[in-house]
Every structure is written in structure tokens, then in C-alpha cells.
Amino acid sequence: MLRKFQTEVEAMYSCYSTKHVSADGPITYIVKEEFEVGSNEKDSRAFDVLYNASDLEVLCVCGLFNFRGYLCRHILCVLNQSGMEEIPSHYILSRWRKDVKRSYVLDHSCSGVDIKNPVHRYDDLYKRMVQVVEEGRQSQDRYKVTLQALDEILNKLHLVEDHQV
């Protein structure tokens, strides 16, 4: 994972940004990333990055942080241009830290779930919830349906007594 983030840091230098100031709220940056198309040709793509300096929040349309959990070159470019010397701590997820205390280990090799084992139940439910989150975030309608379904699930779970399975 460190290598993937290092690639983003290195690629940050192929980006440049222009600032579009908003009267209120976050600042929008247009970050252009240059890349080679052929041996002598270059092309560029533009990415919108929203930066809220007061909350130290950044959001890029490429969605790398949301999908992979580490900051993209576009956000790093904006933070660098803004004079930020350190990445805000809320963008360093605990799963990437060396000092994290793990309470479980995901076993991706196991195809069956031992429902008597609480760790297996947790892992299976976690994987399924990630799928639900990915589907639910795709639109406002899907988000609303997902919230409603999760509320129904919680209500049903509260009705189940612990000795029933």
C-alpha cells in the first residue's frame, strides 16, 4: 500500500492547479494532470478538487480516497499548493498505520462461513456491508433505499432474542 501512495506522491508533480474562489464555502481547484500518450505526445485531464480550509477537508472527483483509502495526486497537489506541510490526520486511516491494534484478521481464502465463530460472522457481514455501501452511495435514490433497508434490518435485529439463531 505504501508503494501505491508513493506513486501518488510522485505523480503529484505532474499536476498543476488553478484556484476558483467561492464566496462562501469550500474553494474549488481545477487540477490538471499531464500524462504521456505516445513517445512524444502529452495530454491532460482536469479534476475538480473541493478544499475547505477551515475544516481541513478535501474532496476530489476521482474518488480515490473513497475507493482505496489513500489520498490522490490531485488532493496532494492542492494541499501542497495551500502550504499544508502535513496530511490532516483524518486522512490517515487506521488500517494503513503500523501501530494499529487489530482485533481480527480477514481470511479471504475461506469460502464457507463458520457461523459458530464470531470472527467469521463479523468478516462475512463486513464484506457484505461494504458491498451495500458501494451500491448505496451511487445515487440519492439508492442512498435513501439503503438507509431505509438498514433501518428495517436494525429493527428486526432488535426483535430477535440472543438465544435464537
Side-chain angles (χ1 to χ4, degrees):
M1 192 50 54
L2 176 62
R3 295 208 193 288
K4 290 180 181 181
F5 182 68
Q6 284 175 331
T7 301
E8 292 300 312
V9 172
E10 291 167 5
M12 168 182 74
Y13 295 105
S14 67
C15 298
Y16 59 94
S17 64
T18 57
K19 186 195 260 187
H20 295 274
V21 178
S22 173
D24 56 333
I27 300 168
T28 301
Y29 287 84
I30 308 298
V31 177
K32 292 198 177 188
E33 176 184 352
E34 289 187 344
F35 55 93
E36 290 186 20
V37 180
S39 58
N40 292 331
E41 295 180 44
K42 287 192 175 187
D43 199 0
S44 68
R45 271 185 265 168
F47 297 88
D48 289 351
V49 177
L50 299 174
Y51 176 56
N52 187 336
S54 61
D55 296 336
L56 294 177
E57 289 186 359
V58 282
L59 177 67
C60 180
V61 296
C62 80
L64 185 67
F65 182 75
N66 293 337
F67 290 122
R68 304 289 174 153
Y70 54 91
L71 293 177
C72 65
R73 59 194 72 179
H74 318 114
I75 287 176
L76 293 171
C77 177
V78 168
L79 291 176
N80 187 41
Q81 183 178 332
S82 301
M84 186 80 57
E85 293 182 8
E86 289 185 6
I87 294 173
S89 60
H90 57 276
Y91 290 110
I92 303 171
L93 302 181
S94 61
R95 67 181 181 228
W96 305 136
R97 296 175 54 96
K98 282 185 171 183
D99 60 349
V100 68
K101 302 273 192 263
R102 299 208 186 270
S103 59
Y104 67 95
V105 176
L106 289 176
D107 181 13
H108 297 290
S109 64
C110 180
S111 60
V113 176
D114 177 7
I115 63 170
K116 293 180 182 178
N117 185 326
V119 174
H120 287 202
R121 290 193 309 258
Y122 178 91
D123 290 346
D124 186 52
L125 290 171
Y126 183 82
K127 284 186 257 184
R128 291 170 188 254
M129 285 308 298
V130 168
Q131 291 173 334
V132 170
V133 168
E134 289 300 320
E135 291 294 324
R137 69 167 196 79
Q138 292 180 14
S139 71
Q140 290 181 359
D141 290 336
R142 285 179 172 230
Y143 174 76
K144 290 176 185 175
V145 168
T146 303
L147 282 181
Q148 182 181 5
L150 289 174
D151 285 341
E152 289 173 15
I153 290 169
L154 282 173
N155 288 335
K156 286 180 182 178
L157 288 172
H158 290 151
L159 295 175
V160 175
E161 292 184 32
D162 285 342
H163 64 277
Q164 295 177 345
V165 178

